[in-house]
Each structure stands twice: as C-alpha cells, then as structure tokens.
Amino acid sequence: MRRPRPPLHPLAAAAGRGARRPRRGRRPAPRLRRLGGGAVAQWTPYGMGRRIDDLADVSRATGVHVIAATGLHQAAHYDTDPLETVRPAALFVDELTSGRAGMIKVATAFHGLDARARRVMTAAAEASNATGAPIGVHLEQGTSALDVLDLLCGALGVPPDRVILGHLNRSPDPWVHLRAAESGAYLAFDGPSRTHHATDWHLFASLTALADAGHIDRLLLGGDTTTASARAELGVPHTLRALRPRVERQLGGEAATAIFRTNPARAFAAPWS
C-alpha cells in the first residue's frame, strides 16, 4: 500500500486554473513545510495546465510530497472539451499507472449531474475500480453530494472510502453532510476564502456536528485556491497556521490528528506499487 507522507492537507487547488511555475510555486510549499506539512494534493486535472513536471520539481526542491490529479473538470474550464478527443477511462488509467497522477478529479453541475458529468464520472469509476485510486469530486457550490454517491457508489460500484466530496462548506446543509458521512465517503471542507466568505463561518459548526455524530474519521480540511493572490493571502498554509490550532481547541488533539494526518493518509492511499 502506497501512502502519502503525513501530515497531508488535501485541497491544495480543488478547482485550479493550473499549477504555478516552479520558482513561484515553491513559495507556499516551504511555508507548508515550516508549519509541519509533509504533503499536499493538487486537484488541477488533465488539460488545465497542471505542469506535472513542475510539480515534481517543486516537490524535490521543498521536500513536500505532491499528489497530482488526472480527471476532467466541467467543460466551461476548457477552450475545447477534451471529451471530443480522448477516451476518458483509458486516459485516467494511463496517467494513474504511469505515475503522472495519484487521484482522479471530476465535477458536478449545480444541484445535479448533467450528461457530461455522468459520462466523466462513469469513466472515473472505471479507472478507480481498476486501480484503487481515489476520486475527488468538485461539488459545484457544494451541491449534489448525494447524487454523486448514488451514481459512483450505488450504480457504479466505487467503494465509498474511495470518494472525496469537495467544497461541502459552500452548502452547509447538516442533513446532507450527515447522510454523506454515513455512506463512508470522505467529506472535504475548504479553508476560508474571499469568494466563499458568506459560508466560511459555518465551517466549525459543520465539523462539530459531524464529530458529535461519530464521523470524525470522515473529515478532511484544505485550502482551495485558484489565483496567486489567494494563495499568498490564505491557501494551504492557512490550514496549519490558523485552522489546526482551532480544531485542537474546539474538537481536541485526537480530532486534529485525524483530520490533518490519519484521514488524508487513508483517503489518498492507493494499492499500486
């Protein structure tokens, strides 16, 4: 079993308009390392300027382990939809087994799954079932979590612990969060940002409710960032600098270890050698 080097912080760039160039990209990574971080998952998928070779350079230069993503985002994020030219399941498996990626990124529509989302998720399920790789899901504005679980886990046979539901803080619905946690999937909450400040303040109420219901082992935290200014202001280092101390104060040291180390190590583990 290959496991990331803990502690791991899972949402480096859940949407991501492309990875940074190496010289500039190293800036958040040393900060993360100084704060005790050892690994990060970069969710920018195929065709969106991932610069996988540059991510490898950043990892070697800083000592921060980087998990890159294959997969596809919504069509709106591409000039030409890659689905016009690629066979998605074959692409995902090739990138996972060749060492170019360690997870699969997919995306929902707003409050539902359109035909394209279902096609991409079907391919992601095929690739995940073939390789054991986790599937990270961009939930548009935090919606459609249960629809995703019905499709991936119910219809397509993906084990729930291979599914990471992202951006749940953007739709702080406690009933949906509880149902998702009960399924066995991982629930990923972003750190704060200017864009989503309106719902950021629900974060600790959501975490506390899920912890009280016995689901601390399903929780992940990270810093979704898509611009250089956002990364400079908050981003992944903020999860260690500001959020971890508050998790320790409000939920306890064992909860902090689970959220920042044990859970992500399990969520992003995969059985390939």
Side-chain angles (χ1 to χ4, degrees), residues 56-104:
D57 290 342
V58 169
S59 179
R60 284 189 290 267
T62 63
V64 174
H65 183 58
V66 179
I67 300 170
T70 187
L72 293 172
H73 210 321
Q74 300 155 337
H77 291 277
Y78 301 93
D79 293 332
T80 301
D81 190 346
L83 285 179
E84 296 180 10
T85 57
V86 304
R87 295 166 50 229
L91 169 70
F92 302 163
V93 169
D94 177 68
E95 293 210 314
L96 291 164
T97 57
S98 66
R100 293 180 61 79
M103 63 173 290
I104 309 164

Side-chain angles (χ1 to χ4, degrees), residues 3-272:
R3 293 184 181 274
R5 301 172 189 168
L8 180 74
H9 307 281
L11 299 180
R17 265 302 189 183
R20 302 168 293 283
R21 295 189 182 279
R23 185 172 299 173
R24 296 177 62 195
R26 291 173 188 168
R27 294 174 187 169
R31 292 202 302 271
L32 182 67
R33 171 60 79 187
R34 288 194 297 271
L35 290 164
V40 65
Q42 222 288 2
W43 286 35
T44 305
Y46 176 84
M48 290 183 60
R50 296 171 297 176
R51 299 192 181 107
I52 288 178
D53 291 340
D54 289 353
L55 291 178
D57 290 342
V58 169
S59 179
R60 284 189 290 267
T62 63
V64 174
H65 183 58
V66 179
I67 300 170
T70 187
L72 293 172
H73 210 321
Q74 300 155 337
H77 291 277
Y78 301 93
D79 293 332
T80 301
D81 190 346
L83 285 179
E84 296 180 10
T85 57
V86 304
R87 295 166 50 229
L91 169 70
F92 302 163
V93 169
D94 177 68
E95 293 210 314
L96 291 164
T97 57
S98 66
R100 293 180 61 79
M103 63 173 290
I104 309 164
K105 161 78 170 286
V106 298
T108 72
F110 183 51
H111 281 289
L113 305 180
D114 57 20
R116 185 184 183 281
R118 289 179 178 275
R119 181 182 173 190
V120 174
M121 288 186 193
T122 298
E126 181 179 339
S128 177
N129 288 336
T131 65
I135 302 173
V137 186
H138 166 97
L139 300 175
E140 183 66 18
Q141 294 301 316
T143 67
S144 310
L146 302 185
D147 294 331
V148 168
L149 294 172
D150 285 345
L151 177 61
L152 289 179
C153 305
L156 300 174
V158 177
D161 67 354
R162 297 291 76 202
V163 178
I164 304 166
L165 300 168
H167 305 323
L168 283 166
N169 53 298
R170 300 179 188 177
S171 182
D173 184 328
W175 187 86
V176 170
H177 291 179
L178 185 59
R179 299 289 85 75
E182 289 172 346
S183 78
Y186 286 97
L187 281 61
F189 294 83
D190 305 338
S193 71
R194 290 183 180 275
T195 303
H196 301 288
H197 182 67
T199 58
D200 283 340
W201 64 277
H202 291 279
L203 174 61
F204 278 88
S206 297
L207 296 179
T208 300
L210 289 163
D212 289 346
H215 298 300
I216 198 73
D217 62 335
R218 299 293 95 196
L219 303 180
L220 302 171
L221 273 176
D224 177 40
T225 54
T226 61
T227 65
S229 60
R231 286 188 290 270
E233 186 175 35
L234 295 172
V236 178
H238 184 81
T239 64
L240 288 178
R241 183 176 60 250
L243 296 186
R244 177 164 182 142
R246 187 170 172 189
V247 169
E248 290 176 340
R249 287 195 300 271
Q250 292 193 218
L251 301 180
E254 290 185 4
T257 297
I259 292 172
F260 287 93
R261 180 168 180 155
T262 310
N263 297 350
R266 291 174 177 163
F268 288 95
W272 55 74

